């Protein structure tokens, strides 16, 4: 819509109008360029799809994968493009994106974890002391590639994993992308950071997403625990923010006294 006004013409878009919708149960979308064209990568539950971005509808290529797709991460390894799919407890899916309309699912890698001892109170009010937790398939909520290598040598590139059953784990990208990699358990050979906190038997603080800031620090969304900031080298915590413990805000729905900042 064009509206004439002193000094020129103002253009107003119809922001309240749905222009188009692609799929349903879409958890994540990602813009991807294959060197020639821009593509939209998107998920529909356990369907992974790609279509060219444009003003007219284009052909959609899609595949079915073993789990519900939480996040899509694109990466180039060995000069070839791939999509890494965060599939919750199903693990990590690796997709060859050399041909977006004929993408190929390569492998599924699970992520193990172990932590403890942890003491908590169960639903019946009983103290459970020094509990140990282990698992072979942690919930992969997000992936982040920390590019430390070069375009022709990714041997130093690292993969950061938001494991919802543990915290943040780090490993070499080559452990996931190496030619010998097949379905199975992903080797974790880097730093790990346990982020869960217990008030009862169900912990809070599972990492939901990861983002690397331009200042070189790693930010993690930890649900009700807030946002935590880490050193991506050793995953040492550098800071945090939690709305519910921020004394400069008045967000307590029940009128309780505001709490002081703290863990």
């Amino acid at each position: 819509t064009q509206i004439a006004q002193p000094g020129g013409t103002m253009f107003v878009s119809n922001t309240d109008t749905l222009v188009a919708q692609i799929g349903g149960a879409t958890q994540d979308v990602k813009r991807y360029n294959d060197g020639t064209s821009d593509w939209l990568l998107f998920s529909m539950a356990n369907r992974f799809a790609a279509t060219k971005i444009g003003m007219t509808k284009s052909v959609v290529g899609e595949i079915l994968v073993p789990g519900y797709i939480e996040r899509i991460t694109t990466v180039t390894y060995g000069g070839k493009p791939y999509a890494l799919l965060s599939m919750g407890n199903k693990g990590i899916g690796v997709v060859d994106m050399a041909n977006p309309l004929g993408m190929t699912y390569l492998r599924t890698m699970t992520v193990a974890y172990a932590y403890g001892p942890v003491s908590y109170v169960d639903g019946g009010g009983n103290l459970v002391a020094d509990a140990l937790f282990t698992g072979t398939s942690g919930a992969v909520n997000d992936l982040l590639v920390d590019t430390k290598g070069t375009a022709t040598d990714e041997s130093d590139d690292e993969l950061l994993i938001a494991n919802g059953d543990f915290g943040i784990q780090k490993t070499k990208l080559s452990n996931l992308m190496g030619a010998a990699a097949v379905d199975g358990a992903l080797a974790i050979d880097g730093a790990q950071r346990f982020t869960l906190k217990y008030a009862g038997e169900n912990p809070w603080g599972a990492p939901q997403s990861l983002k690397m800031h331009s200042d070189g620090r790693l930010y993690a969304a930890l649900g009700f625990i807030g946002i935590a900031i880490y050193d991506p080298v050793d995953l040492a915590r550098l800071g945090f923010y939690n709305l519910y413990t921020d004394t400069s805000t008045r967000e307590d729905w029940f009128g309780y006294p505001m709490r002081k900042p703290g863990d």
Side-chain angles (χ1 to χ4, degrees):
T1 303
Q2 299 183 34
I3 301 175
Q5 60 179 6
T9 301
M10 181 173 65
F11 293 86
V12 180
S13 63
N14 290 322
T15 56
D16 60 344
T17 301
L18 177 65
V19 177
Q21 179 173 332
I22 301 175
T26 301
Q27 182 74 6
D28 197 19
V29 297
K30 187 72 64 178
R31 183 175 179 175
Y32 164 67
N33 185 280
D34 63 2
T36 303
S37 304
D38 285 328
W39 295 79
L40 175 69
L41 309 181
F42 59 100
S43 66
M44 296 171 287
N46 71 320
R47 296 162 64 193
F48 178 52
T51 188
K52 281 188 177 181
I53 296 175
M55 297 306 294
T56 59
K57 182 179 179 181
S58 183
V59 178
V60 177
E62 67 175 70
I63 57 174
L64 296 179
V65 301
Y68 188 100
I69 301 168
E70 302 285 347
R71 293 287 189 278
I72 303 165
T73 304
T74 56
V75 64
T76 299
Y77 187 86
K80 298 179 180 180
Y82 297 90
L84 309 180
L85 308 180
S86 302
M87 303 187 298
N89 292 112
K90 289 294 184 180
I92 303 169
V94 182
V95 182
D96 185 337
M97 294 297 299
N99 177 8
L101 293 180
M103 61 185 78
T104 304
Y105 191 83
L106 299 179
R107 69 184 68 96
T108 303
M109 304 292 284
T110 56
V111 180
Y113 62 92
Y115 62 91
V118 172
S119 297
Y120 63 91
V121 176
D122 66 18
N126 304 300
L127 174 64
V128 179
D130 300 330
L132 301 176
F133 295 87
T134 61
T136 58
S137 187
V140 180
N141 292 332
D142 195 13
L143 298 167
L144 186 151
V145 176
D146 189 3
T147 305
K148 295 181 177 295
T150 65
T152 57
D153 180 9
E154 302 95 343
S155 59
D156 290 329
D157 288 358
E158 295 177 328
L159 180 69
L160 292 155
I161 305 164
N163 184 338
D165 292 311
F166 173 83
I168 304 171
Q169 296 171 294
K170 188 168 71 169
T171 189
K172 290 291 186 182
L173 179 62
S174 57
N175 289 335
L176 177 68
M177 306 301 298
V182 295
D183 286 10
L186 177 64
I188 303 297
D189 56 13
Q192 302 187 61
R193 177 76 189 197
F194 180 65
T195 65
L196 303 183
K197 292 185 179 296
Y198 283 80
E201 58 188 322
N202 297 314
W204 293 358
Q208 302 300 311
S209 64
L210 303 173
K211 185 71 70 175
M212 193 74 74
H213 193 274
S214 59
D215 63 8
R217 296 186 295 179
L218 174 67
Y219 286 70
L222 303 180
F224 288 112
I225 298 298
I227 300 171
I229 309 168
Y230 300 99
D231 183 333
V233 176
D234 58 5
L235 297 182
R237 196 174 77 170
L238 304 176
F240 74 101
Y241 175 79
N242 190 334
L243 172 68
Y244 298 110
T245 59
D246 186 347
T247 57
S248 68
T249 67
R250 296 181 178 276
E251 297 291 338
D252 196 315
W253 298 339
F254 304 103
Y256 295 153
M258 291 183 294
R259 291 170 286 170
K260 296 180 180 179
D263 286 337

